[in-house]
Amino acid sequence: MALRSATLNVMMKAARQAGVRLKRDYGEVDQLQVSRKGPADFVTAADTRTEKILKNELQRARPDFGFLMEEAGHAVGKDGARRWIIDPIDGTSNFVHGIAHFAMSIALEDQGEIVAGLVFDPINELMFVAEKGQGAYLNERRLRVSSRLRMADSLFATGIPFLGRGEAPDHERFLKEMGAIMAVSAGIRRFGSASLDLAYVAAGRFEGFWETGLQPWDIAAGILLVREAGGLVTEIDGGAKMLQSGSIVAANPAVHGPLREAILRARG
Ligand code: IPD
Ligand code: CA
């Protein structure tokens, strides 16, 4: 990639370092699958450990920045404007079940705006990065969203609500949305990691992605990846407060409108 800022270098270094350990942890989870106790406690430990490595590395390089993290929550920094938004393992259920599809997600927010984002899948060594105004990259290769124009040719990713996530009306609403998109698209995937779903939209693998009930650390980095790859990202009702509402639709510019409208029509 062209010129990479010092800050992005710091993010990549932290992710690589945490990735070495996380990869080892994943290998152990795979072994634990067969034990009766299961890997749940071990995974919580891996989550916390990964977050700590990321926090230590980032803090060492940028001591004044604040943090918003999935495990440890909020930490205000001396620099009131900038904070890191971190998900140490996005795709925890996959990790627990020995499915190699998860990532760490790091975003840098400056005065409420995401200015740098990184999504790193350590197993497949996929490093997705973006900086505001500088484009999005996968392992040094510039990314563009897909150029498919028709819903009928489009592959979409989503997240399916599950036990403990969303009440019954939420589940019914989602089934209607999925029914509507099934009827007009080339297919729907539920891979289980929102940050990677967004990274895949940026890479043109999926034409679009929608989900509700997400947390800022699931999507902060991915939003910038999609935008810097030429895609559009809004809430499902068209607003711009994805980090606050957890509602998101991200897609290439041709199908973003049709996807959003189909979801809204399905909701009635
Ligand atoms: C989850 C993943 C999943 C999405 C869930 C998230 P976690 O994050 O991003 O794809 O559908 O809503 O909670 O729990 O694996 O970090
Ligand atoms: Ca997550």
Side-chain angles (χ1 to χ4, degrees), residues 84-199:
W84 303 107
I85 303 179
I86 298 176
D87 192 343
I89 308 180
D90 182 48
T92 317
S93 299
N94 285 342
F95 189 93
V96 178
H97 288 258
I99 298 168
H101 188 81
F102 53 87
M104 56 190 81
S105 173
I106 309 172
L108 177 61
E109 189 184 58
D110 188 351
Q111 306 195 58
E113 190 183 21
I114 307 299
V115 294
L118 172 154
V119 174
F120 179 45
D121 162 356
I123 305 300
N124 301 295
E125 304 212 358
L126 302 177
M127 176 77 79
F128 297 90
V129 296
E131 286 188 275
K132 190 155 190 285
Q134 302 299 318
Y137 294 82
L138 164 57
N139 298 347
E140 312 287 325
R141 185 170 59 81
R142 181 90 192 239
L143 296 179
R144 285 296 304 170
V145 291
S146 105
S147 53
R148 289 195 178 83
L149 301 175
R150 290 160 18 104
M151 288 290 280
D153 299 326
S154 295
L155 197 56
F156 293 110
T158 189
I160 302 178
F162 46 89
L163 183 66
R165 180 62 67 80
E167 303 300 318
D170 252 19
H171 292 198
E172 281 149 31
R173 176 182 47 78
F174 177 76
L175 289 171
K176 283 192 205 152
E177 293 172 12
M178 202 163 71
I181 305 305
M182 277 159 61
V184 296
S185 71
I188 302 176
R189 301 289 182 268
R190 199 299 188 236
F191 282 3
S193 167
S195 62
L196 279 174
D197 289 336
L198 286 163

Side-chain angles (χ1 to χ4, degrees), residues 70 87 90 217-218:
E70 182 175 19
D87 192 343
D90 182 48
W217 44 79
D218 298 319

Side-chain angles (χ1 to χ4, degrees), residues 158-250:
T158 189
I160 302 178
F162 46 89
L163 183 66
R165 180 62 67 80
E167 303 300 318
D170 252 19
H171 292 198
E172 281 149 31
R173 176 182 47 78
F174 177 76
L175 289 171
K176 283 192 205 152
E177 293 172 12
M178 202 163 71
I181 305 305
M182 277 159 61
V184 296
S185 71
I188 302 176
R189 301 289 182 268
R190 199 299 188 236
F191 282 3
S193 167
S195 62
L196 279 174
D197 289 336
L198 286 163
Y200 280 24
V201 172
R205 296 173 178 181
F206 294 133
E207 274 60 48
F209 163 68
W210 88 99
E211 189 166 345
T212 55
L214 291 166
Q215 298 295 329
W217 44 79
D218 298 319
I219 53 177
I223 290 172
L224 188 66
L225 285 169
V226 173
R227 287 188 168 151
E228 288 296 322
L232 300 178
V233 188
T234 64
E235 294 174 272
I236 292 171
D237 69 7
K241 296 197 181 318
M242 293 78 68
L243 295 186
Q244 289 78 15
S245 68
S247 157
I248 188 165
V249 49

